Amino acid sequence: ATWLSLHALSAAGYVNGHGMGSLSRNNSYIQTPHRNVHRFFVAEGKSGRASDLLAEELGMDDEEAKRWITKGAVWYKDSQWESRRKHSRLLHDIELDEGAFLQVYSAHRDFPECSIDWKGSVIIDETEDFFVINKPRGCPCSPTVDNYYQNVLVNMQQFWEQQQQQLSLPHKLDQDTGGLMLVAKSADFVRKWSQTTSVKRYRALVVPSNTSSAERLKSLTGSVMTHWRSPVGPPKGLFQDLPPPDVPKTGKLSWKECKSIVLSVREYNGDSYTPPSTLKRAEKDEDELRRGGGSYQPLLEVELELITGRTHQLRGQLGAIGCPIYGDMLYVDSYNDEDRRYVPSPELCLQAKYLAFEFTAATAVTTVDNGRKKDDL
């Protein structure tokens, strides 16, 4: 048994089926902030290629309909569908009969961050059991409902020589988070991972809302930061110091405890890590900002270690104490650029920088530290 420690490359910077529920046999259109969903049945007396039926229903040309299908934005059930059976993603232009059901995500998203040289720039190292990768920021870990191909899992599968074996993800990072991840070569490694203890550390740039928020974060250095996350609320629950006293202690409606260790906090001076391309202060003198009433607050560089691993945990916790991560528009009550005097960042300045776990390997493993490979296990 060996402890493998992995450090993120400095060049990284900070920077599948779905249930139908009780759907009735009525065509519908649902609009949400993230996706536009069309649902319809193939009318009585009709049949044909999926692309033709899709083009007729939504008023588009046949080639556009085919692009939606090959991208993975169309799901279906055949004419013998049952309400409780999951529908399948349609990746080929097949024949459909009357009564077949189609669900289309017409706002199908692109993730250009995934269109890179995965073998040359993403894969850091490889063992008999797993790959170590530097996940691109903005790239989903697995297929989304509207895009099957642009994600970590599918792209890694395409570059792996053993095409007959399926890769899997023992753990995940948020889409907007970059940094260290493992991609497993076998279900056996995923099982072992679930039974071992791992250490996950992150670094982030945060924008304090005011002086008191900055001081509160600094005061937490070396201690555990604790919050409670609600079961509902945009986008992944609300974070606050204590849960309401009358909520259930267990079950889906319970609040979840979120814990992380604040390892270090310091003012960011741009000399330690490569920042996102847009990270810069507005071209105004700090004294001028203060004279004009601006509440200038320097960016803070924070290093944290997860104790619990809730979705969006670090983003929600830092936002809850008034120090949202630079580039995060979800966990911040307001983002007054005139007060903060920073050019808004389209990139989330959060990186998985360190990963350590106990494992058994027959051969030596190479790790990465600050961009330099070394055999030090």
Side-chain angles (χ1 to χ4, degrees):
T2 308
W3 275 91
L4 171 64
S5 297
L6 304 168
H7 299 261
L9 294 167
S10 59
Y14 278 98
V15 216
N16 270 310
H18 299 261
M20 297 300 300
S22 57
L23 180 69
S24 63
R25 287 180 175 266
N26 295 318
N27 298 349
S28 64
Y29 170 69
I30 303 171
Q31 186 175 26
T32 72
H34 302 291
R35 61 190 64 144
N36 299 327
V37 185
H38 299 265
R39 294 171 172 171
F40 65 93
F41 292 88
V42 178
E44 185 177 352
K46 283 194 174 184
S47 63
R49 307 291 293 181
S51 59
D52 295 332
L53 297 168
L54 186 61
E56 181 181 353
E57 175 69 24
L58 301 183
M60 65 177 66
D61 62 66
D62 186 60
E63 290 302 315
E64 178 69 8
K66 288 179 180 178
R67 282 195 293 271
W68 286 17
I69 292 172
T70 55
K71 190 173 183 177
V74 180
W75 297 72
Y76 83 105
K77 283 187 177 183
D78 60 31
S79 57
Q80 304 302 316
W81 70 284
E82 299 175 3
S83 61
R84 293 186 178 182
R85 186 167 63 86
K86 293 180 178 180
H87 57 304
S88 304
R89 193 190 299 264
L90 189 63
L91 292 174
H92 304 285
D93 194 8
I94 64 174
E95 291 282 338
L96 294 175
D97 297 324
E98 65 176 79
F101 173 81
L102 286 171
Q103 180 163 301
V104 185
Y105 294 87
S106 59
H108 49 90
R109 297 163 291 175
D110 282 311
F111 304 106
E113 298 85 356
C114 300
S115 301
I116 56 177
D117 178 10
W118 282 74
K119 189 172 184 179
S121 61
V122 175
I123 299 176
I124 295 175
D125 219 323
E126 179 181 359
T127 75
E128 294 181 354
D129 300 306
F130 55 84
F131 290 97
V132 183
I133 70 167
N134 181 19
K135 175 189 166 301
R137 202 178 294 102
C139 181
C141 285
S142 53
T144 61
V145 293
D146 53 357
N147 189 322
Y148 177 76
Y149 293 101
Q150 291 178 307
N151 58 80
V152 169
L153 192 58
V154 172
N155 279 271
M156 285 295 297
Q157 188 73 51
Q158 292 174 346
F159 283 98
W160 194 28
E161 297 176 355
Q162 306 296 326
Q163 291 293 318
Q164 70 276 14
Q165 294 179 256
Q166 290 295 314
L167 297 174
S168 55
L169 302 178
H171 67 114
K172 294 183 179 181
L173 296 176
D174 292 341
Q175 176 182 316
D176 295 326
T177 303
L180 289 171
M181 261 190 68
L182 300 182
V183 179
K185 294 182 177 180
S186 67
D188 183 57
F189 177 76
V190 175
R191 179 185 59 78
K192 291 178 180 178
W193 169 269
S194 66
Q195 297 171 353
T196 192
T197 300
S198 61
V199 178
K200 300 174 184 176
R201 294 175 183 168
Y202 295 75
R203 62 185 174 195
L205 293 184
V206 302
V207 187
S209 300
N210 48 53
T211 302
S212 61
S213 295
E215 292 304 316
R216 181 182 179 187
L217 179 58
K218 292 176 182 178
S219 71
L220 291 170
T221 302
S223 61
V224 175
M225 178 170 59
T226 303
H227 290 89
W228 293 80
R229 192 192 72 185
S230 70
V232 294
K236 295 292 182 180
L238 302 174
F239 289 77
Q240 59 187 51
D241 292 344
L242 293 172
D246 56 345
V247 299
K249 300 299 183 183
T250 59
K252 292 184 178 180
L253 297 180
S254 65
W255 287 58
K256 304 299 182 183
E257 190 176 27
C258 302
K259 290 187 174 184
S260 59
I261 304 172
V262 181
L263 299 174
S264 65
V265 181
R266 69 188 184 104
E267 184 173 334
Y268 179 70
N269 55 23
D271 63 353
S272 55
Y273 307 118
T274 304
S277 57
T278 55
L279 177 56
K280 58 183 179 179
R281 292 177 183 169
E283 296 178 355
K284 291 185 178 181
D285 181 79
E286 294 175 18
D287 291 335
E288 178 186 342
L289 296 179
R290 292 190 177 97
R291 288 196 300 271
S295 56
Y296 168 76
Q297 294 294 328
L299 289 173
L300 296 179
E301 181 182 312
V302 188
E303 185 171 338
L304 308 105
E305 181 177 311
L306 281 178
I307 298 178
T308 57
R310 314 295 184 191
T311 302
H312 289 193
Q313 177 179 320
L314 296 180
R315 297 170 66 176
Q317 285 195 279
L318 290 168
I321 63 172
C323 294
I325 296 175
Y326 188 49
D328 192 351
M329 302 303 291
L330 295 179
Y331 293 95
V332 57
D333 292 333
S334 62
Y335 198 99
N336 189 335
D337 186 52
E338 285 301 312
D339 284 344
R340 297 195 173 98
R341 315 297 183 181
Y342 288 97
V343 176
S345 171
E347 299 173 309
L348 181 70
C349 298
L350 176 64
Q351 182 193 43
K353 63 155 290 188
Y354 176 93
L355 177 62
F357 60 98
E358 192 173 11
F359 77 109
T360 301
T363 58
V365 179
T366 301
T367 187
V368 176
D369 185 6
N370 295 327
R372 300 184 302 275
K373 289 189 176 183
K374 60 180 182 179
D375 297 309
D376 61 352
L377 299 182

